Amino acid sequence: MRASWLQGVFILLLSTRHGQAHSWVEQLTVIAPNGTFVGSPGYSRGNVLRSEHGFSDTKMTHLIPPNTRADVNLILPTDRMCMDSQLEQKQTAGSPRLQAKAGDPVALRYQENGHVTLPWNQPGKPPNRGTVYVYGTTQPKRREKFLDVHGAWTADGTGGDKRGVLLSKQNFDDGRCYQINSGNISQIRKEKYVHQANALMGADMWCQQDIQLPSTAPSGKLYTLYWVWDWPTLPGKDPTYPKGKAEIYTTCMDVEVVAHSPHVLASASEGYVANQDLNYAAIPSQFTHLDDVSSSSATTSPLLSASASSIPHQPQPDSLTLSSLTPHESPSPSALNLDTTAVPTESVTSSATALVTSVPQGPQPTSTLYLTSTQVVRILTVTEWLTTEKVIEKTVTVTAGGSAATPVSRHRLARRRWRE
Ligand SMILES: *[C@@H]1O[C@H](CO)[C@@H](O)[C@H](O)[C@H]1NC(C)=O
Ligand SMILES: *[C@@H]1O[C@H](CO)[C@@H](O)[C@H](O)[C@H]1NC(C)=O
């Protein structure tokens, strides 16, 4: 039943190139120290389950900029982080909040909806299928502004108005997830990541972003998470959007921080158990680097630190800049040809660091701020792999150890996969 319904969704996706089947965080689950999901799942604010009568994707998708805006690259300071149904810290019946301890690892799961397995349906999208960010705060605002958080809050908490932190930054494609369809990526992953179909996912494998709640999150209070999926269309790839297109989706969630775990947990020293049931398992590469977002801080762009330190003398065929004020030349048409062999895999590119170091490009200015008569407006700048919103004017000092964790051989492997 469910499978045929999903096949219907795919037919829809295939026939409408700009189909509206997008992604949001459908479930949050605590991860035990061995990498297994434990306890009862939690849900976003105002969640509408797919099984609910009258469900449609639009009930859960929040698009920034809205598709009514003439300039598809313009994000305004007034744009809100949360959709109307997620402004309040309220749950709907049947979709309770996650309960977790401070410091607990948590999996945020979402469906790929073909964005991973049918990449040719949307020309000009980044090969990692966009970047997902999770921000956390104990002081959310009801009308939280998107630009006050995204690109402002940093892993060390010193960014923007300092009310929150960047907890995680990953590829939308976690290297494992798929929906069942006839595309070759789905076919390959289905064989590689075998699992029992279950009531939640059907035969599909949901994507996930594994984060860790701050150990300082106060018990007995709510801790707010903002999930941001940055999925731009790059310039010069889709004739409809010669200058590219910003496309961002968010989900707003709260976690109830409890003093004592309701779960009986295995010993913390155990570590990720290999070959466990994939229906309940974290992504190993993310799970073992849960606190590794320091390279994403605003003062040292990961793009700069990783590319400058590990691949200083590469040519820069893949770099692109997108600005509605100063459009740059289109890249050479071959520069970004999507090659599905380049779909990130768990072993090679599922961590943001590995991903960045696999891209041959040097430091790029990554954004532009300009003034209109009344407001500051931020223009997104797009590179093949990353979208950031930082103005980089001063020289960034790169510490030599910054990406030492990524061995050169790994980097070469990733690049070879790209060029094949
Ligand atoms: C991991 O630990 C949890 C909680 O202690 C347990 O329920 C689960 O069975 C363990 N998973 C594996 C694969 O051993
Ligand atoms: C999958 O199919 C696409 C489109 O037909 C093709 O370009 C690509 O090389 C294939 N990838 C793999 C991994 O077989």
Side-chain angles (χ1 to χ4, degrees):
M1 197 65 190
R2 181 177 170 80
S4 64
W5 180 79
L6 284 169
Q7 267 149 22
V9 170
F10 274 105
I11 289 159
L12 195 70
L13 262 177
L14 287 166
S15 57
T16 58
R17 217 185 62 178
H18 300 285
Q20 290 302 302
H22 295 306
S23 304
W24 59 92
V25 176
E26 310 221 9
Q27 271 202 4
L28 299 87
T29 321
V30 172
I31 310 168
N34 59 7
T36 304
F37 299 158
V38 286
S40 307
Y43 301 86
S44 70
R45 296 176 187 172
N47 189 51
V48 182
L49 292 168
R50 288 176 182 270
S51 52
E52 244 160 79
H53 182 70
F55 168 83
S56 78
D57 277 21
T58 53
K59 302 221 160 147
M60 291 303 294
T61 46
H62 181 46
L63 172 64
I64 303 169
N67 54 19
T68 48
R69 188 163 298 159
D71 184 343
V72 296
N73 286 307
L74 187 62
I75 296 174
L76 295 170
T78 49
D79 286 336
R80 280 203 217 119
M81 174 62 85
C82 307
M83 66 191 301
D84 287 348
S85 59
Q86 296 184 351
L87 294 180
E88 312 286 347
Q89 293 182 290
K90 285 192 179 145
Q91 305 297 123
T92 50
S95 294
R97 262 180 213 118
L98 180 71
Q99 292 196 344
K101 289 197 312 321
D104 269 352
V106 173
L108 276 53
R109 285 195 291 168
Y110 50 93
Q111 301 199 30
E112 59 100 351
N113 284 320
H115 307 307
V116 169
T117 51
L118 301 169
W120 36 85
N121 282 349
Q122 293 96 6
K125 294 296 186 182
N128 70 341
R129 317 324 299 159
T131 304
V132 284
Y133 299 80
V134 177
Y135 297 93
T137 181
T138 54
Q139 306 162 64
K141 288 185 177 168
R142 182 172 178 276
R143 291 170 180 274
E144 192 79 79
K145 301 296 187 289
F146 178 74
L147 290 179
D148 288 351
V149 174
H150 185 56
W153 293 356
T154 54
D156 64 6
T158 60
D161 61 14
K162 305 187 175 68
R163 267 184 305 119
V165 292
L166 173 63
L167 291 174
S168 170
K169 177 178 174 184
Q170 294 287 346
N171 303 324
F172 180 89
D173 178 4
D174 66 9
R176 179 192 285 174
C177 56
Y178 55 88
Q179 284 195 335
I180 299 295
N181 58 56
S182 57
N184 52 3
I185 300 171
S186 174
Q187 298 296 316
I188 290 166
R189 289 196 179 186
K190 184 176 78 179
E191 312 260 295
K192 190 165 176 199
Y193 301 110
V194 177
H195 73 116
Q196 281 282 327
N198 65 7
L200 182 67
M201 302 191 290
D204 300 338
M205 175 61 69
W206 286 8
C207 306
Q208 63 185 285
Q209 181 167 15
D210 299 334
I211 67 160
Q212 183 163 29
L213 297 178
S215 55
T216 53
S219 301
K221 300 207 161 141
L222 299 185
Y223 190 80
T224 297
L225 301 174
Y226 299 128
W227 182 78
V228 174
W229 172 31
D230 189 356
W231 191 51
T233 300
L234 306 175
K237 303 305 285 183
D238 182 341
T240 317
Y241 305 111
K243 295 176 188 172
K245 177 178 183 284
E247 187 168 0
I248 294 166
Y249 297 90
T250 68
T251 304
C252 297
M253 298 151 275
D254 306 295
V255 174
E256 196 176 319
V257 182
V258 294
H260 301 287
S261 172
H263 330 295
V264 180
L265 294 182
S267 131
S269 59
E270 185 177 354
Y272 188 92
V273 173
N275 303 319
Q276 56 179 299
D277 184 346
L278 296 185
N279 285 340
Y280 307 100
I283 301 288
S285 57
Q286 292 192 33
F287 186 65
T288 51
H289 296 101
L290 287 172
D291 53 357
D292 192 15
V293 283
S294 54
S295 63
S296 305
S297 75
T299 46
T300 312
S301 150
L303 183 59
L304 287 176
S305 60
S307 58
S309 58
S310 62
I311 39 174
H313 304 303
Q314 294 293 334
Q316 305 173 13
D318 299 338
S319 305
L320 293 173
T321 306
L322 161 63
S323 158
S324 57
L325 270 191
T326 53
H328 290 236
E329 281 125 52
S330 297
S332 73
S334 63
L336 281 180
N337 274 353
L338 252 192
D339 176 345
T340 53
T341 61
V343 166
T345 67
E346 238 174 77
S347 57
V348 181
T349 53
S350 60
S351 92
T353 313
L355 172 69
V356 168
T357 54
S358 73
V359 180
Q361 59 190 356
Q364 294 292 311
T366 54
S367 85
T368 314
L369 283 173
Y370 70 95
L371 292 172
T372 66
S373 53
T374 54
Q375 40 189 196
V376 179
V377 169
R378 201 183 307 236
I379 299 294
L380 294 183
T381 296
V382 177
T383 69
E384 183 180 2
W385 287 88
L386 295 170
T387 302
T388 54
E389 302 75 36
K390 294 290 144 216
V391 182
I392 296 168
E393 289 165 338
K394 52 190 181 216
T395 311
V396 174
T397 311
V398 176
T399 46
S403 61
T406 306
V408 171
S409 57
R410 213 181 183 206
H411 151 63
R412 291 213 180 108
L413 173 62
R415 287 197 54 216
R416 253 205 314 279
R417 295 179 62 83
W418 257 120
R419 305 282 168 203
E420 262 160 22

